Structures are given as structure tokens and as C-alpha cells.
Amino acid sequence: MTLLQAQQKTLASYLANGESAITASTEGSVTYLLTDRRFITYREDDDRTISVTSQFLDNLGGVRIRKEEGNNFNTDSLAVGLISLLTGVVTLALQGLMPGGLSEMFLLIGVAGVLIGVIALVYVFDTEDDQISIQLRTPEGEVVESLQLNEDSMEFAEAVSKAASNTHTPDEEHVKTVSA
């Protein structure tokens, strides 16, 4: 994600000499900056309170990335819409068979049922978007940072994983050469 020039300047003030920014992602009032050494969280609240935290990548034991799929359609809204619509249509159909005062009540219930049904059916496709969940973990498995990003942030998540991996040198004892 492209940061505004003002954001770039603000975040650059938190970098140490020789530290390089790799990528960033913004989610609402929170900006996540990945450098070659750290994962920085920059949060500016509505009351202009700024908080900055950072996690050194070489202290991480792992990164967990999970893509959570959103719903294709809202099943609750579909059920309410169909039931209300059916109730409204049936009530309107029976309205003509009812005597005076009861007929007016059936008309009111029928119109309300149809309106509620149509409104609920409009919201059937108002669904949640896919999300990317990232957890930074200690070598013991404890979560030190957890964040939710929109579905367009998979490249950022992959960059976090690669940067965390690059800060660790492989242990020669566990490195094996595989031949074809």
C-alpha cells in the first residue's frame, strides 16, 4: 500500500541509522511498517494520541498468516427476507376475504411484511470481505502481535514472513542438502 508523503516522513523518524523500510500497510488509523530489523505499529487515535510499538524480527520464533474467507451471502438476511416476503404476500392475499376492521389489519401486516422482506433481501449480498490475519510469535509460541488486514494485504503478510525468516541464520546442524 502506498503511504502518503506525510506518513512516510513521520514513520522515517522512527527508523534507526542504516535501517531500511521494506513495506507498509494501513488499516484505519493504524499503520504497520516492516523494516529489515523490526515490525513497527504506528497508531494515531481520534484524540491525536500517538502510540508506536516495535518488535525486533530476530526475537521472533515464527509468523502465522491465515486468510479468512468472507461469506458469499448473508444467510440470516436471506431467511428473514423470504419469510417476511412470504408472510406479507399470503396476508395480502387473505386480506380480501376478511371483514372490515380485520381486513385493514391484514392489509397493514401484508404491506409491512412485503417491505421488510424486500429490505432484508437487499442486504443478502452485503457480506464480509476476506481478511488476512497475521500473528507474530516468540520462539515459545506466545503471540506478541496480532493484526487483521483486508484481503488486498497478502503481499504485505508474505513480506513480513520473509523478513522475519531473513533475520535468522540457519543452524548448520539442521541444514541438509537434498539432491535430485
Side-chain angles (χ1 to χ4, degrees):
M1 167 169 238
T2 306
L3 295 176
L4 300 173
Q5 218 169 6
Q7 287 175 309
Q8 288 177 3
K9 186 176 180 180
T10 301
L11 292 171
S13 68
Y14 292 98
L15 300 182
N17 289 336
E19 187 173 16
S20 302
I22 297 173
T23 186
S25 181
T26 300
E27 208 53 46
S29 64
V30 181
T31 299
Y32 303 102
L33 176 66
L34 177 65
T35 75
D36 57 341
R37 298 181 201 167
R38 297 183 289 161
F39 183 85
I40 300 171
T41 303
Y42 177 89
R43 179 176 280 112
E44 187 171 346
D45 296 328
D46 293 334
D47 63 353
R48 307 296 263 170
T49 302
I50 296 172
S51 63
V52 179
T53 58
S54 68
Q55 174 65 42
F56 287 98
L57 297 175
D58 59 355
N59 289 338
L60 295 178
V63 176
R64 179 177 186 227
I65 300 170
R66 185 173 160 203
K67 183 176 182 181
E68 299 168 9
E69 305 251 341
N71 296 329
N72 291 335
F73 59 91
N74 187 335
T75 55
D76 293 340
S77 185
L78 178 63
V80 168
L82 290 176
I83 290 170
S84 295
L85 195 58
L86 181 64
T87 302
V89 169
V90 168
T91 305
L92 285 175
L94 294 176
Q95 178 259 338
L97 303 174
M98 299 296 148
L102 202 54
S103 175
E104 291 171 1
M105 186 177 76
F106 267 62
L107 178 64
L108 182 64
I109 291 171
V111 169
V114 169
L115 285 175
I116 291 171
V118 168
I119 290 170
L121 288 175
V122 166
Y123 287 102
V124 166
F125 295 102
D126 184 24
T127 60
E128 299 172 1
D129 293 331
D130 293 350
Q131 289 196 339
I132 306 296
S133 169
I134 303 173
Q135 290 182 338
L136 305 179
R137 297 175 179 249
T138 64
E140 295 78 31
E142 184 180 325
V143 176
V144 291
E145 182 84 37
S146 182
L147 51 137
Q148 298 283 337
L149 302 172
N150 63 39
E151 63 185 318
D152 300 332
S153 300
M154 185 54 92
E155 286 180 24
F156 177 77
E158 291 168 349
V160 170
S161 179
K162 289 175 186 174
S165 176
N166 288 338
T167 61
H168 296 280
T169 55
D171 183 0
E172 292 300 323
E173 179 181 326
H174 295 96
V175 174
K176 295 181 181 170
T177 304
V178 179
S179 61

